Structures are given as C-alpha cells and as structure tokens.
Amino acid sequence: MRKLYHFLLNLLIPALTILSTATSCVTNDQLPDSPQGNFEALWRIIDEHYCFFSQKGIDWQEVHSRYARQFDNSMTAKQQFEVMTNMLSELKDGHVNLYTSFNVGRYWSWHEDYPKNYSDTLQRLYLKTDYLIASGLDYTVLDDNIGYVRCETFQNAIGAGNLDDIFIHLQPCNGLIIDVRNNGGGNLTNAEAFAARFTNKELLVGYIQHKTGKGHNDFSALQPEYLKPGKGIRWQKPVIVLTNRSVFSAANEFVKYMKCCPNVIVVGDHTGGGAGMPFSSELPNGWSVRFSACPMYDRDKQMTEFGIDPDYKVSLNSDDFARGKDSIIEFARKMIKTFPKPQSL
C-alpha cells in the first residue's frame, strides 16, 4: 500500500520525548547567537513554515511586536527559554516544542484543560493480571466474551505476525474494544498498520497539504491519503474505539482511519487533535524547535487539528468509579451486544 507519507515516521512524539529518529528539517538564514538573534531566528522559522496561522486566527506579526520588547543581550539562557516558550504557546499547538539541554518547552492545554475520562486503576481491573502482550498491545477477553485491546502508544512497531496472533486469540469474541485513551501518538505507520486490519478494500481516509512557499497561505492542493487492507487476518466483527482528550497526533489519525472502516463506532470524548505533520529546525545557539508544517484533513476535507468528535460522547462518572466500573468501557460493551449486523465490504 502507499504509506501515508512514511518518509516522516514520527508524526507524534510525546511532548517530553526528544526526537530519537530523523524528521524533516528546514533551514534558516544564519543569525547571531545572541538573545535577540535566537528570538528572531525562532520567530522567522515559525513565520515561514508553520501551517495553522489562518485556522487559528493568529497575528504572528503582532506576536513579534509584543515579544521582541522582552529580549535584550543580558538575558540568561533560562530567561530566553521562558520567553520563547511563552511565545510558542501563542500557537496553542501540542506539536510545537523547544528542546534545550535543560528543559523542553511544550503546550499541553489541549488536554490538561479537560476531563481525563480515563483511570489507570479502572483499566487494570479490566485487564486483570493474566492479560497478554504483543507489539506493545495489551489484550484480553472480558467475561462477556468481548475482546479488549489496550493501545497506549504508537511508538512501538506493530508486527504483522503479532496482529495475526492477537486476532486468532480474540477470534471467538463477539466484538472488540480498542482503547486508545491517553495515547499521545508515535509512529504514523504503526497506526496505519493497525487500522489496515479493519477494512477489506482500499479507503479514502483523508487529505494532506504541503507548504509551497514562505507565505502563511502558501500550500499545495489537497492530496488524498488512502488506507489499503493489511496483509494477514482482518477483523470482521463489531469494533468500538474508546477516546479521550489525550488522544493526539498519530493516535488522532488512527481514530480518523477507523471512522472510515465498516463496523466501527467511536465512543468517549473528543480527541486532542494534532493534525499537523511536524518538521524541525535549529536556532543559532543549537536549540531545536519542532512545529506543525503540513496540515491534514479527514475524508470530508475537514481539518482534524482540533480533534475528532466521537460517535457517542460518554464520560466517566463518580458512581461507576466507586463501583469499580469504567463508564466508557461499560457503554462500549452494551453497544457490542446490540450492534447491528456487521457490514461486509
């Protein structure tokens, strides 16, 4: 299958994890290694390459005017970092990070300002202690013969043989729950490989654009993204995907793919988004900056940077928690029991 732009393998790396593999980089004209020089370099990199100015209504020139006044050559490195991080937070983008030897600048309000709708304590009650593990996926059969797969990251490679083994084990189940809550992303090709096991034909799953110039609105035409059936065992029974606000980037894309597959329903909370393919660059002082450069859309050409709505919005409630029940998982179990006859492709 044509991989969904597999040359950029790290669509999402959790905000505190420094890039461990290469991502696409942009170059910047050399500016002096001084507080003002580093500020101007950072501002210019974002000005010429960031992709969501219009969608977020950001006046980047006005941001420059406000923050330029805060820089002078007597600033320490940590003072520079603080002001630069504040400036980058104006973008309200979880894919924007400033990496130094002493800290990582990040913006996490996209999930910190919302209910978690996830509990490690409850999740362990459902997995119990005899769950199986393959390719970073935890899986088990619940007591009502429903398969449950916990996918907490897409950083780990998901092997085709591992997926076959998982589906063979869960084959007798009446349906499958895939829990991606709190999945901050990872490698987009892993998300694609997993989603490809839930379709029997090629699907249009979305679109992507690329920057074609330094202007804020200089983009290519929308280019389609396709998901082709994965080789190996493919799941044909009902699937419920569980989401919350901490589902981000590659995990957000996984939800986008799954919403295009038959027999799939998304339950939980609005996802966190993160639909800008990240690029990276370097400041004169050696600090690295990561930012969204290529916007991505769903199959209806709607931008998914701001997240994806579930088909059914369900939240954890305190009464269920007190009884040791996860409201979202329980809702999904009831849905599978009343699921309409599976569609065939």
Side-chain angles (χ1 to χ4, degrees):
M1 98 183 55
R2 184 181 71 85
K3 296 298 182 183
L4 302 182
Y5 296 89
H6 60 283
F7 54 89
L8 292 175
L9 295 181
N10 292 305
L11 174 59
L12 185 283
I13 297 172
L16 285 178
T17 303
I18 294 182
L19 299 177
S20 60
T21 56
T23 56
S24 292
C25 298
V26 299
T27 58
N28 190 54
D29 294 335
Q30 186 62 43
L31 287 163
D33 180 6
S34 66
Q36 279 118 338
N38 289 313
F39 161 73
E40 291 294 341
L42 178 61
W43 183 88
R44 185 184 300 176
I45 289 167
I46 299 299
D47 180 61
E48 295 178 353
H49 302 286
Y50 185 70
C51 67
F52 293 126
F53 286 118
S54 297
Q55 293 83 354
K56 297 184 178 182
I58 298 168
D59 185 342
W60 195 236
Q61 189 62 55
E62 185 276 331
V63 171
H64 181 281
S65 299
R66 276 192 289 123
Y67 284 89
R69 297 193 294 267
Q70 302 180 45
F71 283 86
D72 64 68
N73 285 330
S74 66
M75 297 176 75
T76 66
K78 291 186 177 179
Q79 288 172 332
Q80 293 178 63
F81 174 83
E82 180 180 358
V83 180
M84 287 180 178
T85 298
N86 289 341
M87 181 180 75
L88 292 176
S89 292
E90 300 274 350
L91 300 172
K92 295 180 170 57
D93 191 325
H95 268 148
V96 175
N97 302 106
L98 184 62
Y99 297 99
T100 74
S101 62
F102 56 85
N103 203 353
V104 176
R106 68 269 186 186
Y107 177 83
W108 281 355
S109 293
W110 52 270
H111 70 88
E112 290 180 333
D113 291 347
Y114 299 89
K116 290 185 64 175
N117 282 316
Y118 178 76
S119 166
D120 288 323
T121 301
L122 293 179
Q123 194 257 340
R124 286 194 295 271
L125 293 177
Y126 286 86
L127 278 176
K128 299 182 180 178
T129 58
D130 58 349
Y131 63 92
L132 289 77
I133 305 172
S135 285
L137 301 173
D138 301 338
Y139 63 105
T140 191
V141 178
L142 303 180
D143 55 18
D144 52 359
N145 198 38
I146 292 175
Y148 175 81
V149 178
R150 169 67 182 147
C151 178
E152 63 180 6
T153 181
F154 282 114
Q155 291 192 68
N156 304 314
I158 300 179
N162 297 117
L163 288 174
D164 285 344
D165 288 339
I166 291 171
F167 289 136
I168 289 172
H169 182 79
L170 299 177
Q171 189 275 332
C173 296
N174 298 323
L176 180 63
I177 296 172
I178 301 176
D179 194 344
V180 294
R181 289 176 296 173
N182 280 26
N183 185 326
N187 190 319
L188 182 57
T189 58
N190 293 331
E192 181 189 1
F194 194 13
R197 293 303 186 99
F198 298 93
T199 180
N200 295 327
K201 69 177 183 180
E202 181 175 281
L203 300 173
L204 172 68
V205 293
Y207 298 86
I208 190 170
Q209 286 181 301
H210 298 281
K211 284 281 278 178
T212 58
K214 296 180 179 180
H216 289 185
N217 296 307
D218 292 344
F219 291 100
S220 68
L222 291 173
Q223 300 175 18
E225 300 176 306
Y226 295 96
L227 180 71
K228 284 189 176 181
K231 294 180 180 179
I233 298 172
R234 293 194 290 273
W235 188 264
Q236 310 293 323
K237 299 178 184 180
V239 181
I240 309 293
V241 178
L242 309 186
T243 60
N244 67 352
R245 287 291 304 198
S246 292
V247 172
F248 191 72
S249 197
N252 191 71
E253 289 296 290
F254 175 76
V255 175
K256 184 180 83 174
Y257 302 158
M258 293 298 286
K259 284 179 76 77
C260 299
C261 296
N263 310 314
V264 175
I265 293 176
V266 178
V267 170
D269 201 357
H270 192 85
T271 65
M277 190 79 76
F279 280 35
S280 63
S281 188
E282 188 172 290
L283 305 186
N285 63 0
W287 294 354
S288 294
V289 58
R290 188 176 67 135
F291 53 89
S292 300
C294 298
M296 293 182 287
Y297 305 80
D298 65 17
R299 61 181 173 182
D300 298 319
K301 301 182 180 180
Q302 299 300 305
M303 185 168 288
T304 52
E305 164 67 7
F306 303 106
I308 298 170
D309 282 325
D311 297 308
Y312 293 88
K313 182 172 175 56
V314 182
S315 301
L316 293 184
N317 67 63
S318 56
D319 290 340
D320 283 343
F321 186 89
R323 295 187 299 110
K325 299 295 182 181
D326 184 311
S327 311
I328 301 174
I329 292 178
E330 292 303 317
F331 185 92
R333 294 171 82 171
K334 291 178 182 177
M335 287 208 71
I336 287 177
K337 293 172 184 176
T338 60
F339 208 92
K341 185 177 179 180
Q343 304 172 35
S344 60
L345 280 178

PDB file of all heavy atoms in Angstrom, residues 216-247:
ATOM      1  N   HIS A 216       2.011  32.633   4.675  1.00  0.00           N
ATOM      2  CA  HIS A 216       1.177  31.868   5.606  1.00  0.00           C
ATOM      3  C   HIS A 216       0.146  30.997   4.900  1.00  0.00           C
ATOM      4  O   HIS A 216      -0.322  30.006   5.478  1.00  0.00           O
ATOM      5  CB  HIS A 216       0.471  32.818   6.580  1.00  0.00           C
ATOM      6  CG  HIS A 216       1.386  33.442   7.580  1.00  0.00           C
ATOM      7  ND1 HIS A 216       0.946  34.243   8.612  1.00  0.00           N
ATOM      8  CD2 HIS A 216       2.741  33.376   7.717  1.00  0.00           C
ATOM      9  CE1 HIS A 216       1.982  34.642   9.334  1.00  0.00           C
ATOM     10  NE2 HIS A 216       3.075  34.136   8.807  1.00  0.00           N
ATOM     11  N   ASN A 217      -0.215  31.347   3.682  1.00  0.00           N
ATOM     12  CA  ASN A 217      -1.236  30.583   2.955  1.00  0.00           C
ATOM     13  C   ASN A 217      -0.687  29.916   1.698  1.00  0.00           C
ATOM     14  O   ASN A 217      -1.448  29.563   0.799  1.00  0.00           O
ATOM     15  CB  ASN A 217      -2.406  31.503   2.588  1.00  0.00           C
ATOM     16  CG  ASN A 217      -3.123  32.031   3.820  1.00  0.00           C
ATOM     17  OD1 ASN A 217      -3.530  31.266   4.685  1.00  0.00           O
ATOM     18  ND2 ASN A 217      -3.258  33.353   3.915  1.00  0.00           N
ATOM     19  N   ASP A 218       0.616  29.708   1.655  1.00  0.00           N
ATOM     20  CA  ASP A 218       1.249  29.059   0.502  1.00  0.00           C
ATOM     21  C   ASP A 218       1.244  27.538   0.692  1.00  0.00           C
ATOM     22  O   ASP A 218       2.142  26.971   1.335  1.00  0.00           O
ATOM     23  CB  ASP A 218       2.685  29.554   0.321  1.00  0.00           C
ATOM     24  CG  ASP A 218       2.755  31.003  -0.111  1.00  0.00           C
ATOM     25  OD1 ASP A 218       1.726  31.532  -0.566  1.00  0.00           O
ATOM     26  OD2 ASP A 218       3.829  31.623   0.029  1.00  0.00           O
ATOM     27  N   PHE A 219       0.206  26.888   0.143  1.00  0.00           N
ATOM     28  CA  PHE A 219       0.071  25.446   0.286  1.00  0.00           C
ATOM     29  C   PHE A 219      -0.246  24.800  -1.059  1.00  0.00           C
ATOM     30  O   PHE A 219      -0.816  25.432  -1.950  1.00  0.00           O
ATOM     31  CB  PHE A 219      -1.056  25.092   1.265  1.00  0.00           C
ATOM     32  CG  PHE A 219      -0.766  25.445   2.688  1.00  0.00           C
ATOM     33  CD1 PHE A 219      -1.295  26.604   3.249  1.00  0.00           C
ATOM     34  CD2 PHE A 219       0.045  24.646   3.466  1.00  0.00           C
ATOM     35  CE1 PHE A 219      -1.026  26.940   4.559  1.00  0.00           C
ATOM     36  CE2 PHE A 219       0.320  24.958   4.781  1.00  0.00           C
ATOM     37  CZ  PHE A 219      -0.219  26.117   5.334  1.00  0.00           C
ATOM     38  N   SER A 220       0.100  23.533  -1.164  1.00  0.00           N
ATOM     39  CA  SER A 220      -0.264  22.744  -2.328  1.00  0.00           C
ATOM     40  C   SER A 220      -1.756  22.452  -2.295  1.00  0.00           C
ATOM     41  O   SER A 220      -2.452  22.717  -1.303  1.00  0.00           O
ATOM     42  CB  SER A 220       0.506  21.418  -2.320  1.00  0.00           C
ATOM     43  OG  SER A 220       0.056  20.599  -1.239  1.00  0.00           O
ATOM     44  N   ALA A 221      -2.260  21.890  -3.394  1.00  0.00           N
ATOM     45  CA  ALA A 221      -3.640  21.399  -3.398  1.00  0.00           C
ATOM     46  C   ALA A 221      -3.743  20.211  -2.443  1.00  0.00           C
ATOM     47  O   ALA A 221      -2.741  19.596  -2.080  1.00  0.00           O
ATOM     48  CB  ALA A 221      -4.034  20.975  -4.810  1.00  0.00           C
ATOM     49  N   LEU A 222      -4.962  19.897  -2.026  1.00  0.00           N
ATOM     50  CA  LEU A 222      -5.169  18.753  -1.152  1.00  0.00           C
ATOM     51  C   LEU A 222      -4.764  17.466  -1.870  1.00  0.00           C
ATOM     52  O   LEU A 222      -5.169  17.225  -3.008  1.00  0.00           O
ATOM     53  CB  LEU A 222      -6.639  18.659  -0.744  1.00  0.00           C
ATOM     54  CG  LEU A 222      -7.157  19.752   0.197  1.00  0.00           C
ATOM     55  CD1 LEU A 222      -8.659  19.605   0.366  1.00  0.00           C
ATOM     56  CD2 LEU A 222      -6.460  19.677   1.538  1.00  0.00           C
ATOM     57  N   GLN A 223      -3.982  16.643  -1.216  1.00  0.00           N
ATOM     58  CA  GLN A 223      -3.535  15.380  -1.781  1.00  0.00           C
ATOM     59  C   GLN A 223      -4.166  14.236  -0.995  1.00  0.00           C
ATOM     60  O   GLN A 223      -4.061  14.196   0.233  1.00  0.00           O
ATOM     61  CB  GLN A 223      -2.010  15.293  -1.736  1.00  0.00           C
ATOM     62  CG  GLN A 223      -1.333  16.413  -2.511  1.00  0.00           C
ATOM     63  CD  GLN A 223       0.180  16.389  -2.372  1.00  0.00           C
ATOM     64  OE1 GLN A 223       0.755  15.386  -1.979  1.00  0.00           O
ATOM     65  NE2 GLN A 223       0.819  17.498  -2.705  1.00  0.00           N
ATOM     66  N   PRO A 224      -4.821  13.301  -1.654  1.00  0.00           N
ATOM     67  CA  PRO A 224      -5.562  12.245  -0.945  1.00  0.00           C
ATOM     68  C   PRO A 224      -4.643  11.256  -0.233  1.00  0.00           C
ATOM     69  O   PRO A 224      -3.523  10.979  -0.675  1.00  0.00           O
ATOM     70  CB  PRO A 224      -6.356  11.565  -2.059  1.00  0.00           C
ATOM     71  CG  PRO A 224      -5.562  11.829  -3.295  1.00  0.00           C
ATOM     72  CD  PRO A 224      -4.949  13.192  -3.119  1.00  0.00           C
ATOM     73  N   GLU A 225      -5.138  10.724   0.869  1.00  0.00           N
ATOM     74  CA  GLU A 225      -4.485   9.654   1.612  1.00  0.00           C
ATOM     75  C   GLU A 225      -5.401   8.425   1.577  1.00  0.00           C
ATOM     76  O   GLU A 225      -6.612   8.547   1.786  1.00  0.00           O
ATOM     77  CB  GLU A 225      -4.257  10.052   3.071  1.00  0.00           C
ATOM     78  CG  GLU A 225      -3.383  11.279   3.249  1.00  0.00           C
ATOM     79  CD  GLU A 225      -3.297  11.655   4.726  1.00  0.00           C
ATOM     80  OE1 GLU A 225      -4.356  11.816   5.364  1.00  0.00           O
ATOM     81  OE2 GLU A 225      -2.183  11.778   5.226  1.00  0.00           O
ATOM     82  N   TYR A 226      -4.817   7.266   1.336  1.00  0.00           N
ATOM     83  CA  TYR A 226      -5.604   6.038   1.238  1.00  0.00           C
ATOM     84  C   TYR A 226      -5.111   5.008   2.248  1.00  0.00           C
ATOM     85  O   TYR A 226      -3.918   4.956   2.579  1.00  0.00           O
ATOM     86  CB  TYR A 226      -5.507   5.453  -0.174  1.00  0.00           C
ATOM     87  CG  TYR A 226      -6.131   6.328  -1.235  1.00  0.00           C
ATOM     88  CD1 TYR A 226      -5.343   7.208  -1.977  1.00  0.00           C
ATOM     89  CD2 TYR A 226      -7.498   6.287  -1.487  1.00  0.00           C
ATOM     90  CE1 TYR A 226      -5.908   8.023  -2.950  1.00  0.00           C
ATOM     91  CE2 TYR A 226      -8.066   7.094  -2.464  1.00  0.00           C
ATOM     92  CZ  TYR A 226      -7.266   7.962  -3.188  1.00  0.00           C
ATOM     93  OH  TYR A 226      -7.829   8.771  -4.145  1.00  0.00           O
ATOM     94  N   LEU A 227      -6.045   4.216   2.709  1.00  0.00           N
ATOM     95  CA  LEU A 227      -5.735   3.082   3.580  1.00  0.00           C
ATOM     96  C   LEU A 227      -6.108   1.813   2.831  1.00  0.00           C
ATOM     97  O   LEU A 227      -7.261   1.638   2.431  1.00  0.00           O
ATOM     98  CB  LEU A 227      -6.540   3.180   4.883  1.00  0.00           C
ATOM     99  CG  LEU A 227      -6.328   2.064   5.900  1.00  0.00           C
ATOM    100  CD1 LEU A 227      -4.944   2.168   6.538  1.00  0.00           C
ATOM    101  CD2 LEU A 227      -7.419   2.119   6.984  1.00  0.00           C
ATOM    102  N   LYS A 228      -5.136   0.936   2.622  1.00  0.00           N
ATOM    103  CA  LYS A 228      -5.391  -0.336   1.952  1.00  0.00           C
ATOM    104  C   LYS A 228      -5.437  -1.464   2.975  1.00  0.00           C
ATOM    105  O   LYS A 228      -4.827  -1.366   4.047  1.00  0.00           O
ATOM    106  CB  LYS A 228      -4.308  -0.619   0.912  1.00  0.00           C
ATOM    107  CG  LYS A 228      -4.451   0.208  -0.356  1.00  0.00           C
ATOM    108  CD  LYS A 228      -3.484  -0.268  -1.420  1.00  0.00           C
ATOM    109  CE  LYS A 228      -3.680   0.485  -2.720  1.00  0.00           C
ATOM    110  NZ  LYS A 228      -2.756   0.003  -3.782  1.00  0.00           N
ATOM    111  N   PRO A 229      -6.173  -2.545   2.674  1.00  0.00           N
ATOM    112  CA  PRO A 229      -6.261  -3.668   3.610  1.00  0.00           C
ATOM    113  C   PRO A 229      -4.881  -4.219   3.961  1.00  0.00           C
ATOM    114  O   PRO A 229      -4.021  -4.355   3.092  1.00  0.00           O
ATOM    115  CB  PRO A 229      -7.084  -4.707   2.849  1.00  0.00           C
ATOM    116  CG  PRO A 229      -7.830  -3.931   1.819  1.00  0.00           C
ATOM    117  CD  PRO A 229      -6.934  -2.795   1.437  1.00  0.00           C
ATOM    118  N   GLY A 230      -4.683  -4.490   5.223  1.00  0.00           N
ATOM    119  CA  GLY A 230      -3.422  -5.067   5.654  1.00  0.00           C
ATOM    120  C   GLY A 230      -3.326  -6.534   5.284  1.00  0.00           C
ATOM    121  O   GLY A 230      -4.336  -7.231   5.157  1.00  0.00           O
ATOM    122  N   LYS A 231      -2.117  -7.017   5.092  1.00  0.00           N
ATOM    123  CA  LYS A 231      -1.911  -8.425   4.800  1.00  0.00           C
ATOM    124  C   LYS A 231      -2.027  -9.221   6.097  1.00  0.00           C
ATOM    125  O   LYS A 231      -1.492  -8.832   7.121  1.00  0.00           O
ATOM    126  CB  LYS A 231      -0.534  -8.642   4.176  1.00  0.00           C
ATOM    127  CG  LYS A 231      -0.385  -7.990   2.805  1.00  0.00           C
ATOM    128  CD  LYS A 231       0.999  -8.233   2.231  1.00  0.00           C
ATOM    129  CE  LYS A 231       1.136  -7.582   0.859  1.00  0.00           C
ATOM    130  NZ  LYS A 231       2.484  -7.777   0.287  1.00  0.00           N
ATOM    131  N   GLY A 232      -2.728 -10.317   6.041  1.00  0.00           N
ATOM    132  CA  GLY A 232      -2.925 -11.132   7.232  1.00  0.00           C
ATOM    133  C   GLY A 232      -4.389 -11.139   7.641  1.00  0.00           C
ATOM    134  O   GLY A 232      -5.274 -10.777   6.859  1.00  0.00           O
ATOM    135  N   ILE A 233      -4.653 -11.565   8.854  1.00  0.00           N
ATOM    136  CA  ILE A 233      -6.021 -11.675   9.350  1.00  0.00           C
ATOM    137  C   ILE A 233      -6.632 -10.294   9.529  1.00  0.00           C
ATOM    138  O   ILE A 233      -6.013  -9.397  10.090  1.00  0.00           O
ATOM    139  CB  ILE A 233      -6.035 -12.428  10.694  1.00  0.00           C
ATOM    140  CG1 ILE A 233      -5.512 -13.847  10.489  1.00  0.00           C
ATOM    141  CG2 ILE A 233      -7.440 -12.450  11.288  1.00  0.00           C
ATOM    142  CD1 ILE A 233      -5.312 -14.606  11.785  1.00  0.00           C
ATOM    143  N   ARG A 234      -7.862 -10.145   9.019  1.00  0.00           N
ATOM    144  CA  ARG A 234      -8.568  -8.869   9.168  1.00  0.00           C
ATOM    145  C   ARG A 234      -9.842  -9.107   9.983  1.00  0.00           C
ATOM    146  O   ARG A 234     -10.552 -10.087   9.780  1.00  0.00           O
ATOM    147  CB  ARG A 234      -8.876  -8.263   7.802  1.00  0.00           C
ATOM    148  CG  ARG A 234      -7.612  -7.847   7.059  1.00  0.00           C
ATOM    149  CD  ARG A 234      -7.930  -6.948   5.866  1.00  0.00           C
ATOM    150  NE  ARG A 234      -8.597  -7.667   4.809  1.00  0.00           N
ATOM    151  CZ  ARG A 234      -7.980  -8.344   3.843  1.00  0.00           C
ATOM    152  NH1 ARG A 234      -6.653  -8.393   3.816  1.00  0.00           N
ATOM    153  NH2 ARG A 234      -8.659  -8.978   2.904  1.00  0.00           N
ATOM    154  N   TRP A 235     -10.124  -8.182  10.871  1.00  0.00           N
ATOM    155  CA  TRP A 235     -11.256  -8.308  11.785  1.00  0.00           C
ATOM    156  C   TRP A 235     -12.550  -7.924  11.084  1.00  0.00           C
ATOM    157  O   TRP A 235     -12.632  -6.871  10.456  1.00  0.00           O
ATOM    158  CB  TRP A 235     -11.028  -7.418  13.000  1.00  0.00           C
ATOM    159  CG  TRP A 235     -12.039  -7.604  14.085  1.00  0.00           C
ATOM    160  CD1 TRP A 235     -13.170  -6.860  14.305  1.00  0.00           C
ATOM    161  CD2 TRP A 235     -12.030  -8.605  15.106  1.00  0.00           C
ATOM    162  NE1 TRP A 235     -13.858  -7.327  15.382  1.00  0.00           N
ATOM    163  CE2 TRP A 235     -13.187  -8.415  15.911  1.00  0.00           C
ATOM    164  CE3 TRP A 235     -11.161  -9.646  15.420  1.00  0.00           C
ATOM    165  CZ2 TRP A 235     -13.478  -9.212  17.003  1.00  0.00           C
ATOM    166  CZ3 TRP A 235     -11.450 -10.447  16.515  1.00  0.00           C
ATOM    167  CH2 TRP A 235     -12.600 -10.228  17.291  1.00  0.00           C
ATOM    168  N   GLN A 236     -13.598  -8.760  11.215  1.00  0.00           N
ATOM    169  CA  GLN A 236     -14.862  -8.540  10.519  1.00  0.00           C
ATOM    170  C   GLN A 236     -16.031  -8.243  11.465  1.00  0.00           C
ATOM    171  O   GLN A 236     -17.122  -7.933  10.999  1.00  0.00           O
ATOM    172  CB  GLN A 236     -15.216  -9.776   9.679  1.00  0.00           C
ATOM    173  CG  GLN A 236     -14.088 -10.273   8.787  1.00  0.00           C
ATOM    174  CD  GLN A 236     -13.731  -9.306   7.670  1.00  0.00           C
ATOM    175  OE1 GLN A 236     -14.600  -8.668   7.099  1.00  0.00           O
ATOM    176  NE2 GLN A 236     -12.440  -9.194   7.378  1.00  0.00           N
ATOM    177  N   LYS A 237     -15.813  -8.330  12.754  1.00  0.00           N
ATOM    178  CA  LYS A 237     -16.891  -8.165  13.724  1.00  0.00           C
ATOM    179  C   LYS A 237     -16.936  -6.724  14.247  1.00  0.00           C
ATOM    180  O   LYS A 237     -16.083  -5.911  13.913  1.00  0.00           O
ATOM    181  CB  LYS A 237     -16.691  -9.159  14.876  1.00  0.00           C
ATOM    182  CG  LYS A 237     -16.728 -10.625  14.435  1.00  0.00           C
ATOM    183  CD  LYS A 237     -16.468 -11.547  15.619  1.00  0.00           C
ATOM    184  CE  LYS A 237     -16.415 -13.001  15.179  1.00  0.00           C
ATOM    185  NZ  LYS A 237     -16.161 -13.919  16.314  1.00  0.00           N
ATOM    186  N   PRO A 238     -17.940  -6.394  15.070  1.00  0.00           N
ATOM    187  CA  PRO A 238     -18.053  -5.026  15.584  1.00  0.00           C
ATOM    188  C   PRO A 238     -16.816  -4.573  16.350  1.00  0.00           C
ATOM    189  O   PRO A 238     -16.159  -5.362  17.039  1.00  0.00           O
ATOM    190  CB  PRO A 238     -19.267  -5.109  16.514  1.00  0.00           C
ATOM    191  CG  PRO A 238     -20.079  -6.242  15.978  1.00  0.00           C
ATOM    192  CD  PRO A 238     -19.091  -7.238  15.479  1.00  0.00           C
ATOM    193  N   VAL A 239     -16.519  -3.279  16.201  1.00  0.00           N
ATOM    194  CA  VAL A 239     -15.381  -2.662  16.883  1.00  0.00           C
ATOM    195  C   VAL A 239     -15.840  -1.365  17.521  1.00  0.00           C
ATOM    196  O   VAL A 239     -16.504  -0.538  16.871  1.00  0.00           O
ATOM    197  CB  VAL A 239     -14.223  -2.360  15.904  1.00  0.00           C
ATOM    198  CG1 VAL A 239     -13.043  -1.726  16.658  1.00  0.00           C
ATOM    199  CG2 VAL A 239     -13.780  -3.607  15.165  1.00  0.00           C
ATOM    200  N   ILE A 240     -15.470  -1.166  18.769  1.00  0.00           N
ATOM    201  CA  ILE A 240     -15.701   0.107  19.448  1.00  0.00           C
ATOM    202  C   ILE A 240     -14.335   0.689  19.807  1.00  0.00           C
ATOM    203  O   ILE A 240     -13.528   0.023  20.466  1.00  0.00           O
ATOM    204  CB  ILE A 240     -16.534  -0.057  20.741  1.00  0.00           C
ATOM    205  CG1 ILE A 240     -17.809  -0.866  20.461  1.00  0.00           C
ATOM    206  CG2 ILE A 240     -16.862   1.303  21.321  1.00  0.00           C
ATOM    207  CD1 ILE A 240     -18.813  -0.198  19.576  1.00  0.00           C
ATOM    208  N   VAL A 241     -14.062   1.901  19.369  1.00  0.00           N
ATOM    209  CA  VAL A 241     -12.815   2.591  19.687  1.00  0.00           C
ATOM    210  C   VAL A 241     -13.093   3.603  20.793  1.00  0.00           C
ATOM    211  O   VAL A 241     -14.008   4.424  20.673  1.00  0.00           O
ATOM    212  CB  VAL A 241     -12.227   3.304  18.453  1.00  0.00           C
ATOM    213  CG1 VAL A 241     -10.951   4.052  18.814  1.00  0.00           C
ATOM    214  CG2 VAL A 241     -11.951   2.299  17.337  1.00  0.00           C
ATOM    215  N   LEU A 242     -12.310   3.553  21.871  1.00  0.00           N
ATOM    216  CA  LEU A 242     -12.506   4.440  23.016  1.00  0.00           C
ATOM    217  C   LEU A 242     -11.517   5.601  22.966  1.00  0.00           C
ATOM    218  O   LEU A 242     -10.308   5.389  22.778  1.00  0.00           O
ATOM    219  CB  LEU A 242     -12.315   3.674  24.330  1.00  0.00           C
ATOM    220  CG  LEU A 242     -13.104   2.368  24.497  1.00  0.00           C
ATOM    221  CD1 LEU A 242     -12.915   1.834  25.905  1.00  0.00           C
ATOM    222  CD2 LEU A 242     -14.580   2.568  24.168  1.00  0.00           C
ATOM    223  N   THR A 243     -12.025   6.825  23.149  1.00  0.00           N
ATOM    224  CA  THR A 243     -11.188   8.020  23.001  1.00  0.00           C
ATOM    225  C   THR A 243     -11.373   8.986  24.172  1.00  0.00           C
ATOM    226  O   THR A 243     -12.388   8.958  24.865  1.00  0.00           O
ATOM    227  CB  THR A 243     -11.523   8.770  21.705  1.00  0.00           C
ATOM    228  OG1 THR A 243     -12.909   9.167  21.732  1.00  0.00           O
ATOM    229  CG2 THR A 243     -11.279   7.908  20.479  1.00  0.00           C
ATOM    230  N   ASN A 244     -10.371   9.844  24.359  1.00  0.00           N
ATOM    231  CA  ASN A 244     -10.487  10.980  25.276  1.00  0.00           C
ATOM    232  C   ASN A 244      -9.630  12.126  24.750  1.00  0.00           C
ATOM    233  O   ASN A 244      -9.063  12.045  23.651  1.00  0.00           O
ATOM    234  CB  ASN A 244     -10.104  10.589  26.715  1.00  0.00           C
ATOM    235  CG  ASN A 244      -8.623  10.255  26.877  1.00  0.00           C
ATOM    236  OD1 ASN A 244      -7.873  10.171  25.902  1.00  0.00           O
ATOM    237  ND2 ASN A 244      -8.199  10.056  28.112  1.00  0.00           N
ATOM    238  N   ARG A 245      -9.524  13.210  25.501  1.00  0.00           N
ATOM    239  CA  ARG A 245      -8.817  14.396  25.023  1.00  0.00           C
ATOM    240  C   ARG A 245      -7.323  14.168  24.868  1.00  0.00           C
ATOM    241  O   ARG A 245      -6.644  14.943  24.194  1.00  0.00           O
ATOM    242  CB  ARG A 245      -9.049  15.559  25.986  1.00  0.00           C
ATOM    243  CG  ARG A 245     -10.429  16.166  25.954  1.00  0.00           C
ATOM    244  CD  ARG A 245     -10.744  16.913  24.687  1.00  0.00           C
ATOM    245  NE  ARG A 245      -9.803  17.961  24.355  1.00  0.00           N
ATOM    246  CZ  ARG A 245     -10.066  18.955  23.502  1.00  0.00           C
ATOM    247  NH1 ARG A 245     -11.251  19.023  22.909  1.00  0.00           N
ATOM    248  NH2 ARG A 245      -9.172  19.871  23.235  1.00  0.00           N
ATOM    249  N   SER A 246      -6.780  13.132  25.483  1.00  0.00           N
ATOM    250  CA  SER A 246      -5.346  12.878  25.390  1.00  0.00           C
ATOM    251  C   SER A 246      -4.976  11.998  24.201  1.00  0.00           C
ATOM    252  O   SER A 246      -3.835  11.561  24.088  1.00  0.00           O
ATOM    253  CB  SER A 246      -4.838  12.251  26.694  1.00  0.00           C
ATOM    254  OG  SER A 246      -4.912  13.185  27.747  1.00  0.00           O
ATOM    255  N   VAL A 247      -5.928  11.729  23.322  1.00  0.00           N
ATOM    256  CA  VAL A 247      -5.635  11.032  22.060  1.00  0.00           C
ATOM    257  C   VAL A 247      -5.111  12.085  21.084  1.00  0.00           C
ATOM    258  O   VAL A 247      -5.823  13.014  20.715  1.00  0.00           O
ATOM    259  CB  VAL A 247      -6.897  10.348  21.502  1.00  0.00           C
ATOM    260  CG1 VAL A 247      -6.640   9.800  20.103  1.00  0.00           C
ATOM    261  CG2 VAL A 247      -7.352   9.241  22.446  1.00  0.00           C
TER     262      VAL A 247
END
